[in-house]
């Protein structure tokens, strides 16, 4: 159930939807009275069990992966229907928050699983054009990226003008590195290696100061 509260007067409306589970929302915005909510949706809660340490040590992710969905909450109605925005799996979403938060937007960044390696931990970074329904990916053998963080270039006018940062675990070399991607082309610009592994985590942050 989606619960929608007016920021003007506090009035509340609710919308029923097909059951699903989600950790993360991508963005939400209003158009012509309808509210659109983009999120990474799982069909059920099995992903929680799959993340317990004993399951991870046994090898692989047995749960279904998340799907990037757009739910429409209509101005006149009480049911929320959705459409998938990509046929690639998608989690740990980030956008250009400074420019696009709560606004219609075009690009979302996250991590994903290659279709030929679906049961590994997330093994590729992904950029999705939610308008054109296109996906761009970065992958390297034996590498497991953390959450991508978009950093805008100073003075840019483009929504994807900037870089994407991710701390990546290189399982083949036994160390980690900071990956820098061109956010527009989604091609690799640089790596900053460290001589050890950084304990694998999910979330990433960038502090400009």
């Amino acid at each position: 159930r989606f619960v929608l509260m007016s920021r003007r007067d506090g009035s509340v409306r609710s919308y029923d939807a097909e059951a699903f589970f989600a950790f993360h929302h991508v963005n939400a915005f209003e158009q012509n009275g309808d509210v659109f909510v983009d999120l990474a949706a799982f069909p059920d809660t099995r992903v929680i069990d799959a993340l317990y340490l004993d399951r991870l040590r046994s090898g692989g992710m047995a749960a279904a992966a998340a799907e990037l969905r757009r739910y429409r909450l209509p101005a006149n109605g009480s049911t929320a229907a959705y459409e998938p925005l990509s046929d690639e799996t998608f989690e740990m979403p980030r956008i250009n928050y400074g420019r696009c938060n709560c606004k219609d937007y075009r690009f979302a960044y996250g991590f994903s699983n290659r279709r030929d390696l679906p049961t590994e931990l997330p093994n590729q970074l992904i950029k999705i054009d939610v308008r054109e329904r296109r996906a761009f990916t970065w992958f390297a053998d034996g590498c497991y990226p953390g959450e991508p963080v978009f950093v805008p270039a100073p003075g840019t006018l483009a929504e994807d003008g900037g870089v994407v940062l991710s701390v990546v675990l290189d399982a083949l070399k036994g160390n980690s590195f900071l990956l820098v991607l061109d956010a527009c082309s989604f091609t690799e610009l640089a790596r900053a290696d460290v001589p050890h592994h950084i304990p694998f985590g999910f979330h990433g942050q960038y502090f400009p100061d």
Side-chain angles (χ1 to χ4, degrees), residues 123-151:
N123 51 24
Q124 68 179 3
L125 293 169
I126 188 167
K127 171 187 178 181
I128 295 181
D129 184 333
V130 301
R131 294 182 187 168
E132 300 292 332
R133 306 294 199 267
R134 293 191 300 157
F136 309 86
T137 59
W138 174 91
F139 170 83
D141 285 330
C143 288
Y144 301 93
E147 180 182 32
V149 178
F150 174 80
V151 180

Side-chain angles (χ1 to χ4, degrees), residues 46-65 113 117-123 144 202:
R46 285 179 296 165
V47 64
I48 296 177
D49 295 328
L51 290 172
Y52 277 95
L53 189 56
D54 60 335
R55 303 288 181 89
L56 293 173
R57 284 176 169 164
S58 68
M61 295 276 287
N113 285 85
L117 297 169
T119 61
E120 285 193 349
L121 289 169
N123 51 24
Y144 301 93
F202 289 120

Side-chain angles (χ1 to χ4, degrees), residues 25-200:
H25 297 77
V26 184
N27 200 9
F29 56 92
E30 186 175 358
Q31 280 186 344
N32 301 319
D34 295 343
V35 173
F36 295 89
V37 182
D38 294 355
L39 49 80
F42 294 88
D44 52 46
T45 60
R46 285 179 296 165
V47 64
I48 296 177
D49 295 328
L51 290 172
Y52 277 95
L53 189 56
D54 60 335
R55 303 288 181 89
L56 293 173
R57 284 176 169 164
S58 68
M61 295 276 287
E67 176 182 57
L68 178 58
R69 296 179 181 178
R70 171 164 292 176
Y71 282 85
R72 176 176 171 263
L73 281 55
N76 299 307
S78 59
T79 301
Y82 75 88
E83 61 173 323
L85 297 180
S86 175
D87 58 3
E88 298 280 354
T89 64
F90 185 82
E91 247 294 9
M92 307 306 288
R94 299 291 288 251
I95 61 171
N96 184 340
Y97 289 106
R99 174 171 175 161
C100 300
N101 194 34
C102 298
K103 301 176 182 177
D104 188 12
Y105 72 110
R106 184 170 181 180
F107 301 112
Y109 310 91
F111 63 30
S112 177
N113 285 85
R114 283 175 60 101
R115 294 176 184 175
D116 56 342
L117 297 169
T119 61
E120 285 193 349
L121 289 169
N123 51 24
Q124 68 179 3
L125 293 169
I126 188 167
K127 171 187 178 181
I128 295 181
D129 184 333
V130 301
R131 294 182 187 168
E132 300 292 332
R133 306 294 199 267
R134 293 191 300 157
F136 309 86
T137 59
W138 174 91
F139 170 83
D141 285 330
C143 288
Y144 301 93
E147 180 182 32
V149 178
F150 174 80
V151 180
T156 184
L157 298 177
E159 181 183 331
D160 59 351
V163 298
V164 170
L165 306 177
S166 177
V167 176
V168 180
L169 173 64
D170 188 332
L172 300 180
K173 293 182 178 179
N175 73 309
S176 298
F177 59 89
L178 176 66
L179 175 69
V180 184
L181 300 178
D182 182 300
C184 181
S185 64
F186 221 58
T187 55
E188 186 171 332
L189 295 176
R191 297 185 185 189
D193 283 287
V194 295
H196 50 78
H197 71 275
I198 296 173
F200 186 73

